[in-house]
């Protein structure tokens, strides 16, 4: 069967990346995770990927004079390996329209809020401060507007009266680990079916 050669972009611990790699160990899963890239050399997720036998490399954004040259290096690393699809998973760099334009329709992200609510940072704090009854996470296509592309899959998680930013983040992350594999499968299948 057709499986998209997929890269996961991370910046940190990589829990979502691990969930995607595990899902893709099924030969019937429509994405094959062949590469993990972190913009932070010390990201714990790099070692976790290698333990799962996935090539994992760092491309340190701080080693480049500007966003464009960092993104050129990123694009070259992806292209050199024949990567066809990108899943951002806790990748904390904003991508410029130049890079997004090269990958539009072939790049997705997971964001820890019920989009279109709370684009950007501190999503859980903002949901608690607003008195929301639910938080959640969204898998979406990456478009020029940050966290603004079409929504592929969403999961709702209750906000408890006792929640802090950290307890809510942990409950949402737990749900992300099943949501993201479902979302990547939906998106990859859509690309494969044209
Ligand atoms: C996840 O909660 C993800 O939704 C969020 O970062 C966390 C990464 O955790 N992403 C963003 O905030 C993107 N703006 P992980 O590295 O353990 O998967």
């Amino acid at each position: 069967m057709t499986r998209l050669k997929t890269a996961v972009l991370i910046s940190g611990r990589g829990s979502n990346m691990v969930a995607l790699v595990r899902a893709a160990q099924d030969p019937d899963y429509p994405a094959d995770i062949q590469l993990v890239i972190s913009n932070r050399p010390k990201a714990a997720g790099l070692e976790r990927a290698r333990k799962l036998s996935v090539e994992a490399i760092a491309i340190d954004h701080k080693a480049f004079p500007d966003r464009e040259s960092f993104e050129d290096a990123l694009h070259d690393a992806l292209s050199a390996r024949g990567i066809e699809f990108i899943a951002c998973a806790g990748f904390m760099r904003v991508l410029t329209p130049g890079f997004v334009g090269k990958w539009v329709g072939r790049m997705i992200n997971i964001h820890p809020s019920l989009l279109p609510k709370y684009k950007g940072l501190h999503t859980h704090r903002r949901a608690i401060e607003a008195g929301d009854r639910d938080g959640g996470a969204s898998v979406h296509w990456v478009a020029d507007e940050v966290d603004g592309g079409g929504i592929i899959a969403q999961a709702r998680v209750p906000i408890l009266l006792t929640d802090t930013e950290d307890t809510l983040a942990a409950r949402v992350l737990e749900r992300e680990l099943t949501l993201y594999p479902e979302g990547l499968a939906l998106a990859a299948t859509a690309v494969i079916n044209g």
Side-chain angles (χ1 to χ4, degrees):
M1 73 173 275
T2 310
R3 307 180 73 203
L4 292 184
K5 289 184 189 134
T6 300
V8 183
L9 305 188
I10 64 169
S11 298
R13 68 196 156 184
S15 338
N16 277 287
M17 175 275 297
V18 169
L20 296 178
V21 170
R22 291 213 173 110
Q25 284 169 344
D26 176 348
D28 290 330
Y29 192 79
D32 182 10
I33 314 264
Q34 300 196 342
L35 177 65
V36 170
I37 301 181
S38 171
N39 65 304
R40 294 198 184 123
K42 289 188 176 153
L46 287 171
E47 206 42 51
R48 294 177 84 182
R50 289 180 194 126
K51 284 202 176 117
L52 290 160
S53 307
V54 178
E55 184 188 5
I57 60 172
I59 300 179
D60 185 353
H61 66 275
K62 290 189 183 144
F64 297 87
D66 49 36
R67 278 186 196 275
E68 285 73 17
S69 51
F70 163 67
E71 289 176 355
D72 285 347
L74 195 55
H75 184 75
D76 288 350
L78 295 161
S79 304
R81 292 163 178 83
I83 294 296
E84 302 167 297
F85 198 88
I86 301 174
C88 300
F91 181 67
M92 303 308 278
R93 294 296 292 170
V94 170
L95 295 163
T96 69
F99 185 88
V100 172
K102 286 181 193 149
W103 289 93
V104 73
R106 292 186 297 143
M107 176 161 54
I108 64 174
N109 180 43
I110 188 159
H111 182 73
S113 80
L114 292 171
L115 289 172
K117 276 185 151 183
Y118 311 128
K119 295 172 181 173
L121 299 175
H122 310 302
T123 56
H124 305 304
R125 188 192 310 168
R126 287 153 69 201
I128 290 170
E129 282 173 3
D132 291 359
R133 305 285 298 274
D134 299 297
S138 308
V139 179
H140 64 93
W141 294 101
V142 175
D144 277 351
E145 189 202 347
V146 174
D147 303 324
I151 293 166
I152 299 158
Q154 220 162 30
R156 192 172 286 274
V157 168
I159 298 179
L160 308 182
L161 284 174
T162 50
D163 264 333
T164 63
E165 194 176 349
D166 289 346
T167 59
L168 179 57
R171 190 176 314 110
V172 171
L173 180 66
E174 191 64 32
R175 187 65 187 82
E176 287 181 42
L177 303 183
T178 51
L179 177 72
Y180 207 1
E182 289 164 14
L184 173 57
L186 285 170
T189 302
V191 169
I192 290 164
N193 293 339

